[in-house]
Amino acid sequence: MMTSVIGISTLLPSSRTSLQSPLLSLTDDDNNNNRLKNRRKPINIAMSLSSSSSKTLRKLEVVTPVPADIDIANSVEPFHISEIAKELNLSSNHYDLYGKYKAKVLLSVIEELESRENGYYVVVGGITPTPLGEGKSTTVVGLCQALGAYLDKKVVTCLRQPSQGPTFGIKGGAAGGGYSQVIPMDEFNLHLTGDIHAITAANNLLAAAIDTRIFHEASQSDKALLNRLCPLKKGKRSVADVMFKRLKKLGISKTNPDEFTPEEVTKFVRLDIDPETITWRRVMDVNDRFLRKITIGQGPDEKGMVRETGFDISVASEIMAVLALTTSLSDMRERLGNMVIGNSKAGNPITADDLGVGGALTVLMKDAINPTLMQTLEGTPVLVHAGPFANIAHGNSSIVADKIALKLVGPGGFVVTEAGFGADIGTEKFMNIKCRYSGLNPQCAVIVATIRALKMHGGGPEVVAGKPLDQAYTSENVALVEAGCVNLARHISNTRAYGVNVVVAVNMFSTDSEAELNAVKSAALAAGAFDAVVCTHHAHGGNGAVDLGIAVQKACENVTEPLKFLYPLDISIKEKIEAIARSYGASGVEYSEQAEKQIEMYTKQGFSSLPICMAKTQYSFSDIPSKKGAPSGFVLPIRDIRASIGAGFIYPLVGTMSTMPGLPTRPCFFDIDVDTTTGKVLGLS
């Protein structure tokens, strides 16, 4: 294992005499670096050093070729997390320590800083990616390192917690890469502070409660059920507090069970869940294709109560979406209790609170609601919260993390958050779902592009994870890049429609030519981007994204339009789905019989005013991953529709999209191990 790939020194403001001085150790044959040096614009030193600061930041002495991510991460001793908290003016009363390098920031910070003006709000999305990913998380981290360590801005990075599914599966971790990472990398990508485990436990507790209730209702009389639901204590019966909401919904004004009429007893004790309507599935944070469909209830004690169900990956749980979209502990309690798991045989929605489990779910989630404070390689602060997968889930970090961060950075500071996968799904959900519930208005949207992905969209050979890239991707082909820019242009057009300025970040690889990079910049500006910047943050850390940081600052300072949504909430479910489908390039939408049935039911139940969270492939604007570029005129098929009522959205499933990923032939776990001498993790990527 490499242990000396990075030289670390303390960079104090007094040592920043010029941001044009040689801060990097570069090799003469590094064409990547030479292009960066030739392209570098003069930086306004007065601007970058105008604010007084006592920051303790790291100066990275980078080497080439760039070492493995885990080797870079393991070579850096992180600052104690209390030092990072101190830079944000957080006292020890504002956070709980989770070891030396992580802390949970408490929601009380929002209330204490309520009167403080917010900083600038930036969302980072991407073009439609290859299966290899285009470095979006890396760009987020690199941009923040540039803003904090080189442009002397207050900045907080807001990222989603990685799922162990891709960490051990096909994509690897999500801590960024190269010299733009969140550290400790292994803790970030694995258990962190246990939020996903809490979601898994809460989700599966609710699943157990559903089947248990069906089991007991099938085998007991009304009287027996009442006796057990409202047990006799000291000669009196009482209704549990969690049941008061159910009594109100049933129109029962009495609170003494002994006063219920026989009809009221039946209404109260029998949820009468229709097993055919249950949409709540069990979850686990592992890619396991064989759990997509399972049969439960086959044990000898279950009295023949067999039904088909399945597993989703944990981050696709509605509880993860609740965590991402909640605004307070009381709001989370309400949302968890309102989650609908299915219908009664009379067609009425059954909630978690109807099952009596909403309070217990909140107890399991009470610590998870606090975002986790970490740091980048260059010592800038990071808040990690909520989960990934914008293709099958909400795919954005949490509202509470963003709100805390915006108050902490204050006026003139920057909060940069990531929206999963391409802007067609991640940024769309950020705008139409997250910003609706948060009331926050972003000033700038960054779209990350790579020459590799644009060549693929221009008609290049298939890109397959684990296989060497075709020569088309490693040699100059400007025509192929220009053809693929139709994908970038549609993402720019869609994102500009929200009223934000769009900056394109071209994540540069060493094989990219100057002509190819210029072609992307020209196409981006022609499509309406505010600016387009070539970045080398993977190879150079924050210094490789300084131009991007300057462009983002200018974009934030020059917003001229208010935030706009793609659709209003008071139109029908179908009209909202079709508005999103048109943004993909579809000419129409085709609904399965099941989807039609669900739309009718959710409309009847009063849920039609909710926003839409599409579950769609990330590899194409269409439902077919092989359709690259900017396809149009296709019909988008909606296979099924679910409702995440607690989270607050309707959840259409497009085409064959699965909510439980599978493992590839050679998963990432082949390379992951531990050095038994040092205890350090090896092989994470």
Side-chain angles (χ1 to χ4, degrees):
M1 181 175 62
M2 299 183 68
T3 57
S4 59
V5 296
I6 305 177
I8 302 298
S9 64
T10 301
L11 179 62
L12 297 173
S14 59
S15 70
R16 297 184 198 169
T17 56
S18 171
L19 290 180
Q20 292 173 279
S21 61
L23 295 178
L24 304 177
S25 301
L26 308 179
T27 58
D28 292 337
D29 62 350
D30 185 5
N31 294 328
N32 207 18
N33 295 354
N34 290 336
R35 281 196 286 272
L36 171 71
K37 185 166 62 177
N38 294 335
R39 189 180 297 104
R40 175 71 67 235
K41 301 172 186 175
I43 297 173
N44 187 328
I45 304 301
M47 174 191 72
S48 62
L49 297 181
S50 59
S51 61
S52 61
S53 171
S54 60
K55 290 181 181 177
T56 300
L57 296 166
R58 293 186 190 86
K59 173 184 172 184
L60 298 181
E61 297 176 2
V62 307
V63 299
T64 55
V66 178
D69 293 347
I70 189 66
D71 291 335
I72 294 174
N74 283 344
S75 300
V76 176
E77 180 66 27
F79 294 121
H80 194 284
I81 200 62
S82 61
E83 293 298 313
I84 304 298
K86 185 178 179 181
E87 293 294 342
L88 292 172
N89 295 317
L90 292 170
S91 73
S92 58
N93 294 327
H94 293 132
Y95 58 87
D96 292 331
L97 289 172
Y98 279 64
K100 294 189 292 183
Y101 308 129
K102 305 185 298 293
K104 282 281 195 178
V105 179
L106 306 180
L107 299 195
S108 57
V109 173
I110 299 175
E111 297 174 7
E112 289 188 28
L113 298 177
E114 186 177 5
S115 62
R116 190 179 193 192
E117 187 180 340
N118 287 341
Y120 292 121
Y121 194 27
V122 180
V123 60
V124 178
I127 64 171
T128 306
T130 70
L132 306 177
E134 308 318 307
K136 187 153 45 59
S137 299
T138 306
T139 301
V140 172
V141 176
L143 169 59
C144 290
Q145 290 182 159
L147 288 166
Y150 291 90
L151 298 176
D152 205 33
K153 301 295 180 183
K154 277 277 192 181
V155 64
V156 174
T157 311
C158 288
L159 290 176
R160 303 159 296 158
Q161 181 182 346
S163 163
Q164 290 179 175
T167 296
F168 292 115
I170 193 168
K171 284 191 69 177
Y179 290 100
S180 295
Q181 294 188 55
V182 179
I183 55 173
M185 176 197 179
D186 55 339
E187 295 182 28
F188 179 82
N189 282 307
L190 299 174
H191 305 287
L192 199 62
T193 48
D195 291 358
I196 294 180
H197 301 321
I199 289 162
T200 303
N203 185 102
N204 294 341
L205 175 61
L206 179 51
I210 295 166
D211 292 301
T212 296
R213 187 60 175 262
I214 296 172
F215 172 81
H216 287 304
E217 285 188 21
S219 59
Q220 297 182 48
S221 66
D222 290 357
K223 182 179 179 180
L225 286 169
L226 184 65
N227 288 340
R228 287 170 173 81
L229 291 172
C230 303
L232 194 65
K233 293 182 179 179
K234 297 182 180 179
K236 297 179 67 175
R237 296 188 190 281
S238 62
V239 175
D241 290 349
V242 73
M243 287 289 102
F244 289 156
K245 187 192 294 187
R246 174 162 173 75
L247 288 175
K248 184 177 180 180
K249 184 164 69 172
L250 294 173
I252 300 174
S253 58
K254 306 163 189 170
T255 58
N256 184 348
D258 292 329
E259 296 177 1
F260 290 175
T261 66
E263 293 77 13
E264 288 172 338
V265 169
T266 301
K267 286 168 63 177
F268 175 69
V269 301
R270 294 203 176 274
L271 299 179
D272 202 24
I273 299 170
D274 181 355
E276 296 297 320
T277 68
I278 296 172
T279 54
W280 197 265
R281 290 153 61 93
R282 288 158 174 82
V283 300
M284 62 187 302
D285 197 33
V286 173
N287 291 359
D288 193 341
R289 67 182 72 245
F290 288 96
L291 292 178
R292 290 171 179 168
K293 181 178 281 190
I294 64 170
T295 303
I296 62 171
Q298 297 189 82
D301 298 326
E302 277 63 67
K303 302 178 183 178
M305 296 181 62
V306 175
R307 71 177 181 92
E308 281 191 351
T309 181
F311 273 76
D312 295 332
I313 195 159
S314 293
V315 292
S317 169
E318 182 177 352
I319 296 178
M320 175 63 85
V322 167
L323 180 67
L325 295 171
T326 196
T327 55
S328 66
L329 185 60
S330 60
D331 178 62
M332 184 173 72
R333 171 64 185 87
E334 186 71 13
R335 287 174 180 270
L336 291 173
N338 288 342
M339 294 187 303
V340 172
I341 57 87
N343 298 327
S344 69
K345 290 174 183 174
N348 299 315
I350 304 296
T351 68
D353 270 346
D354 287 330
L355 285 156
V357 74
L361 301 181
T362 309
V363 169
L364 286 171
M365 294 293 295
K366 70 178 180 64
D367 294 324
I369 196 173
N370 300 312
T372 301
L373 180 64
M374 298 188 74
Q375 63 191 284
T376 68
L377 282 170
E378 296 191 65
T380 59
V382 180
L383 285 177
V384 185
H385 212 206
F389 285 110
N391 55 350
I392 59 176
H394 166 252
N396 280 268
S397 63
S398 75
I399 287 173
V400 294
D402 290 0
K403 284 192 168 186
I404 289 171
L406 285 164
K407 295 300 182 186
L408 290 175
V409 299
F414 291 82
V415 171
V416 183
T417 188
E418 180 185 6
F421 290 122
D424 56 321
I425 47 181
T427 303
E428 184 270 311
K429 293 172 184 179
F430 172 86
M431 299 292 184
N432 290 307
I433 300 176
K434 183 176 180 180
C435 288
R436 281 189 201 270
Y437 285 119
S438 70
L440 299 172
N441 296 331
Q443 288 78 40
C444 175
V446 176
I447 296 178
V448 179
T450 62
I451 299 297
R452 175 180 67 196
L454 292 169
K455 285 181 175 179
M456 179 189 71
H457 288 296
E462 185 180 10
V463 177
V464 180
K467 291 185 179 181
L469 285 172
D470 188 274
Q471 188 178 359
Y473 296 104
T474 56
S475 58
E476 182 175 284
N477 190 328
V478 176
L480 202 59
V481 173
E482 290 176 335
C485 281
V486 295
N487 184 272
L488 172 61
R490 181 175 289 174
H491 284 297
I492 292 171
S493 175
N494 285 353
T495 307
R496 284 189 67 219
Y498 295 111
V500 299
N501 286 328
V502 174
V503 174
V504 173
V506 187
N507 185 18
M508 179 180 171
F509 293 0
S510 61
T511 53
D512 300 340
S513 75
E514 194 77 25
E516 290 172 330
L517 295 166
N518 286 335
V520 178
K521 291 169 67 177
S522 297
L525 294 173
F530 181 87
D531 203 350
V533 181
V534 175
C535 311
T536 60
H537 43 275
H538 182 273
H540 306 135
N543 197 57
V546 169
D547 288 348
L548 177 60
I550 294 171
V552 165
Q553 180 177 347
K554 289 179 180 177
C556 288
E557 293 170 346
N558 288 276
V559 174
T560 58
E561 299 180 63
L563 179 64
K564 304 169 187 174
F565 297 119
L566 182 60
Y567 52 81
L569 293 180
D570 58 0
I571 61 177
S572 70
I573 292 173
K574 281 190 174 182
E575 286 173 312
K576 283 180 275 200
I577 291 172
E578 287 155 16
I580 297 172
R582 285 193 297 273
S583 76
Y584 298 156
S587 60
V589 178
E590 180 180 78
Y591 300 91
S592 70
E593 183 179 342
Q594 173 66 11
E596 292 276 12
K597 178 182 173 183
Q598 294 295 97
I599 289 172
E600 182 181 358
M601 180 184 66
Y602 292 141
T603 301
K604 181 181 178 182
Q605 292 175 341
F607 302 141
S608 63
S609 62
L610 294 174
I612 302 297
C613 183
M614 300 282 260
K616 180 187 76 71
T617 178
Q618 68 272 29
Y619 295 128
S620 172
F621 276 110
S622 75
D623 64 300
I624 302 173
S626 61
K627 286 189 175 181
K628 304 302 182 184
S632 60
F634 57 91
V635 175
L636 194 74
I638 304 297
R639 179 179 93 245
D640 196 4
I641 294 183
R642 302 174 188 170
S644 294
I645 304 304
F649 52 72
I650 300 294
Y651 182 20
L653 298 173
V654 179
T656 58
M657 197 66 207
S658 171
T659 49
M660 169 56 88
L663 289 170
T665 304
R666 190 189 186 280
C668 292
F669 61 64
F670 270 62
D671 301 313
I672 297 173
D673 212 323
V674 64
D675 184 323
T676 56
T677 302
T678 65
K680 289 189 174 181
V681 173
L682 308 174
L684 274 177
S685 61

